Structure formats: C-alpha cells, structure tokens
Amino acid sequence: MKKPIAYEAYQQMAEAYAKIAPTKPHNAYYDKPAMLSLLPDIKGKYILDAGCGPGIYLEILSERGASELVGLDASEKMISIARKKKIPRAKFSVRDLNRPLVDFSPESFDLILSALTISYLPDLNAVFSEFHRLLKPQGHLLISTQHPFMDFLYFDSQQYFATEQVTTTWKGFGAPVEVPCYRRPMQDLVLAFLNNGYTLEKFLEPRPLPRFKELDPKHYEELMQFPGFVCLRGRKN
C-alpha cells in the first residue's frame, strides 16, 4: 500500500522532531500560538488531532480540559513517541489521512485540529469532507498550513493556480531531510471549507512572537514582512 508522500521524511526525523519542535521558533513561537489563539472553548470536548506528530498539541489540549483526545498520524515512529508521553485521556493510532477514517462514527468529535499537515494531502475536498462527517453539528475544524503566497515565491512556481508536488530540504531537525509536499493556491484552501459544509469563521496570517526574534532574528524579520503560515477555523453547518 502506497505511503503518504512525506512518510519517509517524518520517519527519518521523528526523534529529532520530537525533541526540537517544542522550542523551535517556527513551531513554538509562530504556528502554535496562532493556532491556540483560534481555539474555541474546549473544556469537556472530544477532540481529534489529525497529523498529531509527537503529541505537542494534545499535551496542551489535555491540560486545558478536553474530555477525550485522539491523535492520528501516518508515521509509526511519531505515534510511538506520542504514546510514551502518556497524555491523560489521549488515544493514538497510525492512520493515513488520505483514506476514510472508517473506525470513527459520524458526528463523533467536537473539534478537529490539523496543524501543518494538509500540505501533504493531494485532495483537500476528500479530507475536508471526511472531517465534516466526523464532526458534531456546529463542531469546528482548525487548520494551519504553509501560506500559498510564500510557497509560490519560495518554489519559484510558474503556475500559481496549479496544485504541484514540490520538495524542500529541512535542516532544522538533525541531518538534512528532503520533505515533499503540495503547493496550492489560496482559493483551493478556502473553497475546501466553503464547498464541504463549513462556515469560515476565522482567518489568520500570523506574525511571530517577540521571543522568535531573540532566537532567530533573520527569519523573524522575514515573517514580519511576508507570511509563512496561514491558520483557518471553520464551523460545521
């Protein structure tokens, strides 16, 4: 069975990612605070983290009072690391988000969170439709991903409106790793919400926290001028 495009990359860097990401500026002082600022009230809620990695968000959601948590990731190594944390009320499973999540009943979750994951999925409509099936009425979908504008510039693309598979070299998690992903236009991201039964409630092009500047002034200045990520929150209609 074919693995997701970034499977080998995340298997390779799983341990280094788990150690470095909690304090790495792009994760700790850019993506995470932006995503957490968009959270609705989660006390007593049943939450799915789709693409949970080593469980960074699930630790926070557990501390904030979520009643039950599920973490899914395609990487067996990431799931193994997350399980070892023994996060209260959290269960984990290896799953490929490109395939229907048949183990879960319709209208199971109050919130689905997916941080920096959907850029590895070729068909957003299929994924957002499946998330819609799993959400309770008025449930929320919260995602972050690479900003289409920055991707377009970074990969020097000639076809903004196309969805293209591209590859970048990550050097921040130990040995350099080639990480493939999909670059797509902004309209595809927004329409994935609007065409699959969501009201788009929040749209955030975040800026890094001041602590980012202390640790990485070069990228801080870049992110203050051009967005690297984008965060969106939708509510199931």
Side-chain angles (χ1 to χ4, degrees), residues 198-224:
Y198 303 87
T199 296
L200 188 57
E201 292 186 327
K202 301 285 186 178
F203 181 98
L204 177 62
E205 295 173 312
R207 295 188 181 185
L209 298 185
R211 176 62 174 154
F212 194 121
K213 185 176 184 179
E214 299 173 20
L215 299 172
D216 188 346
K218 176 179 180 293
H219 286 113
Y220 176 86
E221 294 301 330
E222 289 180 0
L223 292 172
M224 290 297 289

mmCIF file of all heavy atoms in Angstrom, residues 198-224:
data_model
loop_
_atom_site.group_PDB
_atom_site.id
_atom_site.type_symbol
_atom_site.label_atom_id
_atom_site.label_comp_id
_atom_site.label_asym_id
_atom_site.label_seq_id
_atom_site.Cartn_x
_atom_site.Cartn_y
_atom_site.Cartn_z
ATOM 1 N N TYR A 198 -18.803 23.992 5.613
ATOM 2 C CA TYR A 198 -18.324 24.774 6.749
ATOM 3 C C TYR A 198 -18.602 26.267 6.534
ATOM 4 O O TYR A 198 -18.573 26.753 5.406
ATOM 5 C CB TYR A 198 -16.811 24.623 6.932
ATOM 6 C CG TYR A 198 -16.311 23.224 7.116
ATOM 7 C CD1 TYR A 198 -15.995 22.427 6.018
ATOM 8 C CD2 TYR A 198 -16.120 22.686 8.385
ATOM 9 C CE1 TYR A 198 -15.517 21.133 6.166
ATOM 10 C CE2 TYR A 198 -15.632 21.399 8.556
ATOM 11 C CZ TYR A 198 -15.335 20.630 7.438
ATOM 12 O OH TYR A 198 -14.862 19.351 7.597
ATOM 13 N N THR A 199 -18.813 26.954 7.629
ATOM 14 C CA THR A 199 -18.745 28.405 7.645
ATOM 15 C C THR A 199 -17.343 28.793 8.087
ATOM 16 O O THR A 199 -16.859 28.322 9.125
ATOM 17 C CB THR A 199 -19.766 29.000 8.630
ATOM 18 O OG1 THR A 199 -21.087 28.682 8.179
ATOM 19 C CG2 THR A 199 -19.624 30.519 8.708
ATOM 20 N N LEU A 200 -16.666 29.607 7.296
ATOM 21 C CA LEU A 200 -15.309 30.031 7.637
ATOM 22 C C LEU A 200 -15.403 31.161 8.656
ATOM 23 O O LEU A 200 -15.834 32.274 8.342
ATOM 24 C CB LEU A 200 -14.561 30.486 6.385
ATOM 25 C CG LEU A 200 -13.079 30.792 6.528
ATOM 26 C CD1 LEU A 200 -12.320 29.604 7.083
ATOM 27 C CD2 LEU A 200 -12.492 31.220 5.190
ATOM 28 N N GLU A 201 -15.016 30.876 9.893
ATOM 29 C CA GLU A 201 -15.168 31.826 10.993
ATOM 30 C C GLU A 201 -13.939 32.687 11.245
ATOM 31 O O GLU A 201 -14.055 33.855 11.623
ATOM 32 C CB GLU A 201 -15.489 31.073 12.287
ATOM 33 C CG GLU A 201 -16.847 30.415 12.332
ATOM 34 C CD GLU A 201 -17.146 29.822 13.693
ATOM 35 O OE1 GLU A 201 -16.204 29.355 14.379
ATOM 36 O OE2 GLU A 201 -18.323 29.833 14.068
ATOM 37 N N LYS A 202 -12.767 32.104 11.085
ATOM 38 C CA LYS A 202 -11.529 32.812 11.413
ATOM 39 C C LYS A 202 -10.494 32.585 10.315
ATOM 40 O O LYS A 202 -10.368 31.482 9.780
ATOM 41 C CB LYS A 202 -10.947 32.321 12.744
ATOM 42 C CG LYS A 202 -11.862 32.474 13.953
ATOM 43 C CD LYS A 202 -11.934 33.910 14.422
ATOM 44 C CE LYS A 202 -12.740 34.017 15.712
ATOM 45 N NZ LYS A 202 -12.802 35.396 16.225
ATOM 46 N N PHE A 203 -9.745 33.630 10.023
ATOM 47 C CA PHE A 203 -8.668 33.563 9.028
ATOM 48 C C PHE A 203 -7.516 34.390 9.576
ATOM 49 O O PHE A 203 -7.668 35.583 9.830
ATOM 50 C CB PHE A 203 -9.156 34.127 7.688
ATOM 51 C CG PHE A 203 -8.137 34.076 6.590
ATOM 52 C CD1 PHE A 203 -8.152 33.047 5.653
ATOM 53 C CD2 PHE A 203 -7.161 35.051 6.471
ATOM 54 C CE1 PHE A 203 -7.215 33.007 4.620
ATOM 55 C CE2 PHE A 203 -6.223 35.012 5.453
ATOM 56 C CZ PHE A 203 -6.258 33.986 4.528
ATOM 57 N N LEU A 204 -6.377 33.742 9.772
ATOM 58 C CA LEU A 204 -5.259 34.418 10.420
ATOM 59 C C LEU A 204 -3.966 34.201 9.645
ATOM 60 O O LEU A 204 -3.568 33.061 9.381
ATOM 61 C CB LEU A 204 -5.098 33.884 11.852
ATOM 62 C CG LEU A 204 -3.920 34.419 12.674
ATOM 63 C CD1 LEU A 204 -4.035 35.926 12.869
ATOM 64 C CD2 LEU A 204 -3.845 33.712 14.021
ATOM 65 N N GLU A 205 -3.320 35.303 9.274
ATOM 66 C CA GLU A 205 -1.957 35.280 8.752
ATOM 67 C C GLU A 205 -1.065 35.737 9.913
ATOM 68 O O GLU A 205 -0.888 36.932 10.140
ATOM 69 C CB GLU A 205 -1.828 36.201 7.543
ATOM 70 C CG GLU A 205 -2.666 35.737 6.360
ATOM 71 C CD GLU A 205 -2.696 36.728 5.210
ATOM 72 O OE1 GLU A 205 -2.938 37.930 5.471
ATOM 73 O OE2 GLU A 205 -2.485 36.308 4.061
ATOM 74 N N PRO A 206 -0.523 34.793 10.670
ATOM 75 C CA PRO A 206 0.109 35.144 11.950
ATOM 76 C C PRO A 206 1.443 35.859 11.792
ATOM 77 O O PRO A 206 2.103 35.785 10.747
ATOM 78 C CB PRO A 206 0.309 33.781 12.613
ATOM 79 C CG PRO A 206 0.421 32.823 11.474
ATOM 80 C CD PRO A 206 -0.501 33.347 10.419
ATOM 81 N N ARG A 207 1.793 36.532 12.854
ATOM 82 C CA ARG A 207 3.126 37.109 12.978
ATOM 83 C C ARG A 207 3.822 36.456 14.172
ATOM 84 O O ARG A 207 3.172 36.073 15.143
ATOM 85 C CB ARG A 207 3.047 38.624 13.154
ATOM 86 C CG ARG A 207 2.462 39.320 11.926
ATOM 87 C CD ARG A 207 2.564 40.818 12.011
ATOM 88 N NE ARG A 207 1.964 41.452 10.836
ATOM 89 C CZ ARG A 207 1.996 42.759 10.599
ATOM 90 N NH1 ARG A 207 2.595 43.564 11.473
ATOM 91 N NH2 ARG A 207 1.439 43.248 9.520
ATOM 92 N N PRO A 208 5.133 36.333 14.107
ATOM 93 C CA PRO A 208 5.844 35.633 15.179
ATOM 94 C C PRO A 208 5.848 36.419 16.483
ATOM 95 O O PRO A 208 5.767 37.652 16.481
ATOM 96 C CB PRO A 208 7.263 35.497 14.614
ATOM 97 C CG PRO A 208 7.392 36.626 13.639
ATOM 98 C CD PRO A 208 6.030 36.792 13.032
ATOM 99 N N LEU A 209 5.944 35.696 17.593
ATOM 100 C CA LEU A 209 6.056 36.325 18.896
ATOM 101 C C LEU A 209 7.444 36.952 19.074
ATOM 102 O O LEU A 209 8.410 36.563 18.400
ATOM 103 C CB LEU A 209 5.818 35.295 19.991
ATOM 104 C CG LEU A 209 4.446 34.624 20.039
ATOM 105 C CD1 LEU A 209 4.353 33.729 21.266
ATOM 106 C CD2 LEU A 209 3.318 35.637 20.012
ATOM 107 N N PRO A 210 7.583 37.922 19.976
ATOM 108 C CA PRO A 210 8.897 38.552 20.199
ATOM 109 C C PRO A 210 10.014 37.568 20.533
ATOM 110 O O PRO A 210 11.169 37.784 20.151
ATOM 111 C CB PRO A 210 8.625 39.508 21.360
ATOM 112 C CG PRO A 210 7.177 39.858 21.222
ATOM 113 C CD PRO A 210 6.520 38.595 20.732
ATOM 114 N N ARG A 211 9.678 36.490 21.237
ATOM 115 C CA ARG A 211 10.691 35.500 21.594
ATOM 116 C C ARG A 211 11.357 34.913 20.350
ATOM 117 O O ARG A 211 12.532 34.537 20.372
ATOM 118 C CB ARG A 211 10.048 34.387 22.430
ATOM 119 C CG ARG A 211 10.958 33.237 22.809
ATOM 120 C CD ARG A 211 12.120 33.666 23.662
ATOM 121 N NE ARG A 211 12.893 32.521 24.131
ATOM 122 C CZ ARG A 211 14.169 32.555 24.462
ATOM 123 N NH1 ARG A 211 14.832 33.704 24.418
ATOM 124 N NH2 ARG A 211 14.782 31.467 24.872
ATOM 125 N N PHE A 212 10.607 34.833 19.260
ATOM 126 C CA PHE A 212 11.150 34.329 17.986
ATOM 127 C C PHE A 212 12.357 35.185 17.574
ATOM 128 O O PHE A 212 13.386 34.654 17.136
ATOM 129 C CB PHE A 212 10.048 34.382 16.916
ATOM 130 C CG PHE A 212 10.332 33.610 15.666
ATOM 131 C CD1 PHE A 212 9.485 32.600 15.248
ATOM 132 C CD2 PHE A 212 11.438 33.895 14.867
ATOM 133 C CE1 PHE A 212 9.724 31.885 14.078
ATOM 134 C CE2 PHE A 212 11.689 33.193 13.705
ATOM 135 C CZ PHE A 212 10.835 32.181 13.311
ATOM 136 N N LYS A 213 12.229 36.489 17.710
ATOM 137 C CA LYS A 213 13.296 37.402 17.298
ATOM 138 C C LYS A 213 14.581 37.148 18.066
ATOM 139 O O LYS A 213 15.687 37.230 17.513
ATOM 140 C CB LYS A 213 12.848 38.842 17.489
ATOM 141 C CG LYS A 213 13.853 39.875 16.980
ATOM 142 C CD LYS A 213 13.299 41.285 17.115
ATOM 143 C CE LYS A 213 14.266 42.312 16.525
ATOM 144 N NZ LYS A 213 13.725 43.685 16.635
ATOM 145 N N GLU A 214 14.454 36.821 19.355
ATOM 146 C CA GLU A 214 15.632 36.556 20.172
ATOM 147 C C GLU A 214 16.379 35.317 19.695
ATOM 148 O O GLU A 214 17.609 35.260 19.767
ATOM 149 C CB GLU A 214 15.225 36.377 21.631
ATOM 150 C CG GLU A 214 14.556 37.594 22.247
ATOM 151 C CD GLU A 214 14.030 37.312 23.633
ATOM 152 O OE1 GLU A 214 14.505 36.328 24.253
ATOM 153 O OE2 GLU A 214 13.147 38.056 24.101
ATOM 154 N N LEU A 215 15.641 34.328 19.210
ATOM 155 C CA LEU A 215 16.240 33.054 18.824
ATOM 156 C C LEU A 215 16.659 33.001 17.360
ATOM 157 O O LEU A 215 17.607 32.299 17.000
ATOM 158 C CB LEU A 215 15.249 31.922 19.112
ATOM 159 C CG LEU A 215 14.839 31.761 20.575
ATOM 160 C CD1 LEU A 215 13.709 30.749 20.692
ATOM 161 C CD2 LEU A 215 16.041 31.318 21.410
ATOM 162 N N ASP A 216 15.930 33.730 16.512
ATOM 163 C CA ASP A 216 16.174 33.638 15.067
ATOM 164 C C ASP A 216 15.802 34.967 14.412
ATOM 165 O O ASP A 216 14.766 35.090 13.759
ATOM 166 C CB ASP A 216 15.337 32.490 14.484
ATOM 167 C CG ASP A 216 15.673 32.197 13.032
ATOM 168 O OD1 ASP A 216 16.349 33.021 12.392
ATOM 169 O OD2 ASP A 216 15.214 31.158 12.509
ATOM 170 N N PRO A 217 16.628 35.999 14.590
ATOM 171 C CA PRO A 217 16.279 37.336 14.090
ATOM 172 C C PRO A 217 16.092 37.401 12.577
ATOM 173 O O PRO A 217 15.248 38.158 12.088
ATOM 174 C CB PRO A 217 17.448 38.211 14.547
ATOM 175 C CG PRO A 217 18.558 37.272 14.879
ATOM 176 C CD PRO A 217 17.910 36.004 15.328
ATOM 177 N N LYS A 218 16.837 36.614 11.822
ATOM 178 C CA LYS A 218 16.726 36.646 10.362
ATOM 179 C C LYS A 218 15.321 36.229 9.914
ATOM 180 O O LYS A 218 14.655 36.957 9.154
ATOM 181 C CB LYS A 218 17.767 35.733 9.725
ATOM 182 C CG LYS A 218 17.665 35.637 8.204
ATOM 183 C CD LYS A 218 18.753 34.725 7.652
ATOM 184 C CE LYS A 218 18.680 34.620 6.127
ATOM 185 N NZ LYS A 218 17.458 33.923 5.674
ATOM 186 N N HIS A 219 14.877 35.069 10.373
ATOM 187 C CA HIS A 219 13.566 34.603 9.957
ATOM 188 C C HIS A 219 12.440 35.408 10.611
ATOM 189 O O HIS A 219 11.349 35.524 10.044
ATOM 190 C CB HIS A 219 13.417 33.110 10.264
ATOM 191 C CG HIS A 219 14.194 32.235 9.335
ATOM 192 N ND1 HIS A 219 15.264 31.491 9.755
ATOM 193 C CD2 HIS A 219 14.068 32.017 8.003
ATOM 194 C CE1 HIS A 219 15.771 30.832 8.717
ATOM 195 N NE2 HIS A 219 15.076 31.137 7.652
ATOM 196 N N TYR A 220 12.698 35.973 11.773
ATOM 197 C CA TYR A 220 11.705 36.856 12.393
ATOM 198 C C TYR A 220 11.397 38.039 11.479
ATOM 199 O O TYR A 220 10.223 38.364 11.238
ATOM 200 C CB TYR A 220 12.228 37.348 13.740
ATOM 201 C CG TYR A 220 11.313 38.350 14.413
ATOM 202 C CD1 TYR A 220 10.259 37.926 15.222
ATOM 203 C CD2 TYR A 220 11.514 39.724 14.248
ATOM 204 C CE1 TYR A 220 9.419 38.843 15.842
ATOM 205 C CE2 TYR A 220 10.680 40.651 14.864
ATOM 206 C CZ TYR A 220 9.638 40.206 15.652
ATOM 207 O OH TYR A 220 8.803 41.124 16.257
ATOM 208 N N GLU A 221 12.439 38.678 10.973
ATOM 209 C CA GLU A 221 12.235 39.828 10.090
ATOM 210 C C GLU A 221 11.513 39.421 8.807
ATOM 211 O O GLU A 221 10.653 40.160 8.310
ATOM 212 C CB GLU A 221 13.582 40.485 9.767
ATOM 213 C CG GLU A 221 14.260 41.118 10.967
ATOM 214 C CD GLU A 221 13.413 42.197 11.640
ATOM 215 O OE1 GLU A 221 12.626 42.852 10.936
ATOM 216 O OE2 GLU A 221 13.548 42.379 12.861
ATOM 217 N N GLU A 222 11.846 38.256 8.300
ATOM 218 C CA GLU A 222 11.160 37.777 7.092
ATOM 219 C C GLU A 222 9.672 37.575 7.353
ATOM 220 O O GLU A 222 8.819 37.977 6.549
ATOM 221 C CB GLU A 222 11.790 36.468 6.614
ATOM 222 C CG GLU A 222 13.180 36.619 6.022
ATOM 223 C CD GLU A 222 13.744 35.285 5.571
ATOM 224 O OE1 GLU A 222 13.045 34.251 5.716
ATOM 225 O OE2 GLU A 222 14.895 35.271 5.081
ATOM 226 N N LEU A 223 9.346 36.942 8.485
ATOM 227 C CA LEU A 223 7.949 36.637 8.787
ATOM 228 C C LEU A 223 7.150 37.872 9.189
ATOM 229 O O LEU A 223 5.914 37.864 9.102
ATOM 230 C CB LEU A 223 7.879 35.589 9.904
ATOM 231 C CG LEU A 223 8.375 34.197 9.519
ATOM 232 C CD1 LEU A 223 8.451 33.298 10.740
ATOM 233 C CD2 LEU A 223 7.470 33.576 8.460
ATOM 234 N N MET A 224 7.825 38.930 9.590
ATOM 235 C CA MET A 224 7.126 40.179 9.865
ATOM 236 C C MET A 224 6.764 40.905 8.569
ATOM 237 O O MET A 224 5.905 41.801 8.566
ATOM 238 C CB MET A 224 7.995 41.080 10.742
ATOM 239 C CG MET A 224 8.156 40.575 12.175
ATOM 240 S SD MET A 224 6.587 40.507 13.095
ATOM 241 C CE MET A 224 6.262 42.245 13.332
#
